């Protein structure tokens, strides 16, 4: 098994290219033990970027992550997100500290605006920078912001990532958002990189997977990671699933593989609205 590849954030921090997402975790009490075990197994395998949000399971996902990271916090790059309804100057600090309490941590490494709401971006960025100065967060970023939104960030304000829906069936960001992020040296962070499993029956994925003795999910993840400057955060609720995800880092797609996937999932030929799940 190869070492986990890393991606550089604008501030120079190196983070794993493949992390662990937690959307839809902590919603079923009967799955809690398996989800805790999967998160911990992921850490053992080097998937030490863990993404969560105050919205997920109404805070219960953050509590799950906090429990999973006990004794391992120093090994993890922890990402969480604030709701746009909490993105005002008076609300961000409280929301952040509530998240820290649920996560059982004294700081969040990267704190994102979950999506854009009615609060001016300048107000949210100012609040983020105050949290950063106070040591509550290491850095800030955004999620679900398109190119026109990025252009409206305050002068000189640079997010560490833009977390967006990106996978083989959601290639719209390739038209202008991903190129703009590359110009800024800001890595995209792809959520739902296998479209929550909905694309895995596509014959082209199976053909490529069979050629590499891999699974369709591993091919889909390897495709997202192919450029070396994108972070993927798939959710895995079992040890077997997280182990399957980890093997995607050892899968190298050929030019023929990429052409076959392009034929099945064509790249965008024009600007598309940014998809959100």
């Amino acid at each position: 098994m190869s070492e986990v590849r890393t991606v550089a954030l604008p501030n120079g921090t190196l983070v794993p290219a493949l992390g662990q997402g937690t959307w839809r975790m902590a919603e079923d009490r009967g799955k809690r033990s398996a989800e805790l075990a999967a998160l911990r197994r992921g850490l053992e395998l080097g998937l030490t970027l863990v993404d969560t949000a105050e919205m997920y399971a109404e805070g219960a996902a953050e509590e799950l992550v906090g429990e999973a990271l006990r004794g391992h916090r120093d090994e993890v790059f922890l990402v969480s997100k604030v709701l746009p309804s909490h993105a005002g100057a008076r609300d961000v600090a409280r929301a952040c500290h509530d998240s820290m309490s649920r996560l059982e941590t004294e700081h969040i490494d990267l704190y994102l605006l979950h999506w854009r709401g009615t609060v001016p971006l300048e107000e949210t960025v100012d609040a983020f920078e105050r949290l950063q100065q106070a040591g509550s967060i290491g850095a800030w970023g955004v999620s679900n912001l398109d190119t026109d939104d990025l252009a409206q960030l305050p002068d000189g304000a640079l997010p560490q990532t833009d977390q967006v829906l990106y996978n083989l069936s959601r290639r719209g960001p390739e038209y202008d958002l991903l190129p703009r992020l590359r110009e800024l040296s800001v890595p995209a962070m792809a959520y739902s990189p296998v479209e929550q499993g909905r694309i895995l029956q596509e014959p082209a994925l199976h053909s490529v997977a069979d050629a590499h003795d891999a699974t369709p999910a591993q091919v889909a993840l390897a495709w997202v990671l192919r450029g070396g400057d994108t972070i993927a955060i798939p959710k895995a609720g079992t040890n077997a699933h997280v182990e399957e995800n980890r093997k995607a880092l050892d899968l190298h797609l050929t030019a023929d593989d990429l052409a076959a996937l392009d034929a099945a999932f064509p790249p965008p030929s024009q600007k598309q609205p940014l998809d959100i799940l």
Side-chain angles (χ1 to χ4, degrees):
M1 187 178 293
S2 64
E3 291 187 5
V4 174
R5 301 196 301 275
T6 57
V7 173
L9 302 182
N11 64 9
T13 301
L14 297 178
V15 300
L18 184 62
Q20 301 186 77
T22 60
W23 187 25
R24 301 288 174 87
M25 281 189 170
E27 295 180 353
D28 183 343
R29 194 73 191 176
K31 297 179 179 179
R32 187 175 187 84
S33 294
E35 290 173 343
L36 286 169
L39 287 168
R40 291 167 179 157
R41 179 59 177 148
L43 300 185
E44 293 173 352
L45 294 171
L47 308 184
T48 54
L49 184 152
V50 178
D51 174 85
T52 189
E54 65 170 344
M55 184 189 79
Y56 297 167
E58 299 181 340
E62 288 182 325
E63 292 174 347
L64 179 80
V65 169
E67 183 175 348
L69 301 191
R70 288 175 189 167
H72 300 280
R73 177 64 186 92
D74 292 345
E75 306 165 21
V76 174
F77 188 85
L78 183 57
V79 184
S80 194
K81 298 182 282 293
V82 62
L83 285 163
S85 57
H86 294 160
R90 291 182 294 181
D91 297 323
V92 171
R94 182 175 66 249
C96 181
H97 286 89
D98 286 347
S99 286
M100 287 193 293
S101 178
R102 290 188 290 268
L103 289 163
E104 302 180 25
T105 186
E106 294 181 354
H107 75 282
I108 295 170
D109 296 295
L110 182 58
Y111 198 43
L112 311 181
L113 173 63
H114 207 150
W115 66 88
R116 188 174 183 180
T118 59
V119 176
L121 290 173
E122 184 174 3
E123 182 176 339
T124 301
V125 169
D126 181 69
F128 280 167
E129 290 177 345
R130 291 176 185 273
L131 285 171
Q132 190 171 353
Q133 291 164 6
S136 298
I137 66 174
W140 64 270
V142 296
S143 180
N144 297 304
L145 264 61
D146 208 342
T147 47
D148 56 342
D149 301 304
L150 294 175
Q152 294 175 46
L153 288 168
D155 290 344
L158 187 67
Q160 297 300 303
T161 192
D162 188 1
Q163 185 180 123
V164 295
L165 177 60
Y166 180 54
N167 59 52
L168 275 163
S169 67
R170 310 274 191 164
R171 298 184 64 172
E174 292 177 19
Y175 188 78
D176 61 350
L177 178 58
L178 297 188
R180 178 56 180 152
L181 291 174
R182 290 190 179 103
E183 289 175 358
L184 297 170
S185 297
V186 172
M189 187 179 293
Y191 74 84
S192 296
V194 298
E195 188 65 14
Q196 299 178 332
R198 287 185 290 269
I199 62 174
L200 298 184
Q201 298 308 312
E202 168 59 45
L205 272 172
H206 282 263
S207 295
V208 173
D210 290 345
H212 291 274
D213 194 23
T215 67
Q218 288 165 349
V219 173
L221 281 175
W223 180 88
V224 169
L225 297 169
R226 70 197 183 285
D229 59 355
T230 299
I231 303 158
I233 48 168
K235 185 201 81 169
T238 65
N239 281 2
H241 192 178
V242 77
E243 289 166 0
E244 177 186 6
N245 288 347
R246 172 61 180 83
K247 292 177 182 177
L249 287 169
D250 298 321
L251 176 58
H252 301 285
L253 301 177
T254 67
D256 287 344
D257 295 333
L258 295 175
L261 294 172
D262 279 347
F265 301 95
S269 59
Q270 60 185 13
K271 173 70 176 176
Q272 300 175 7
L274 190 63
D275 285 333
I276 297 176
L277 285 180

